[in-house]
Amino acid sequence: MAHVKTQVRNAVIAQLRAEFGADFVVPAIRLARGLQSHNLPLVAVTVSATKTGTDNNGPGERIDRYDFTIGVRACVSADGADPESDLETIDARIQKTLFDPSVLGIGGTINWRCGGQGDIDAQDIEDGFMLAATTTYTTGMLTMDSDPETNIHA
């Protein structure tokens, strides 16, 4: 089994691929490689995590809380007729797809929330530029300190 952070990332990618298609949704590392306009549109997923202890039990008996920030970055070619509307349309589909964390198959989460789509920014690509914006989700999950691969509420 994988770390709960990996499980969250893989589950979000799988759910988005079911909605958008496998070629449309990629891990964030894909953005580090050169993109061309024919690679767009796409959605890239990142997950960051912080961990805090929730009790004073001894090692192996402690409950840890992971707080995740999930970034779903939509990218479109700036050459389209209305790329800002394209990003907002993708954002609406993302929010419809991820509104219920129970469909992810990762067990119980704490306070699953969508923070909405952030500012739109322009980025150079190999044959022009793209517009991108990130829709952010936050949630939490509990594990035992001795087992970061198992959600207590699985």
Side-chain angles (χ1 to χ4, degrees), residues 50-79:
T50 58
K51 182 178 91 166
T52 55
T54 63
D55 57 42
N56 293 320
N57 293 333
E61 299 176 1
R62 292 184 187 122
I63 296 175
D64 287 335
R65 177 179 169 144
Y66 283 88
D67 289 301
F68 300 106
T69 301
I70 303 156
V72 183
R73 188 154 183 83
C75 306
V76 299
S77 173
D79 293 334

Side-chain angles (χ1 to χ4, degrees), residues 55-115:
D55 57 42
N56 293 320
N57 293 333
E61 299 176 1
R62 292 184 187 122
I63 296 175
D64 287 335
R65 177 179 169 144
Y66 283 88
D67 289 301
F68 300 106
T69 301
I70 303 156
V72 183
R73 188 154 183 83
C75 306
V76 299
S77 173
D79 293 334
D82 190 354
E84 291 176 349
S85 289
D86 295 342
L87 284 174
E88 291 155 356
T89 298
I90 293 169
D91 177 55
R93 288 180 65 191
I94 291 167
Q95 289 191 41
K96 288 178 181 180
T97 302
L98 297 178
F99 80 95
D100 180 4
S102 69
V103 301
L104 298 175
I106 55 174
T109 60
I110 302 166
N111 295 326
W112 179 270
R113 296 279 188 262
C114 177

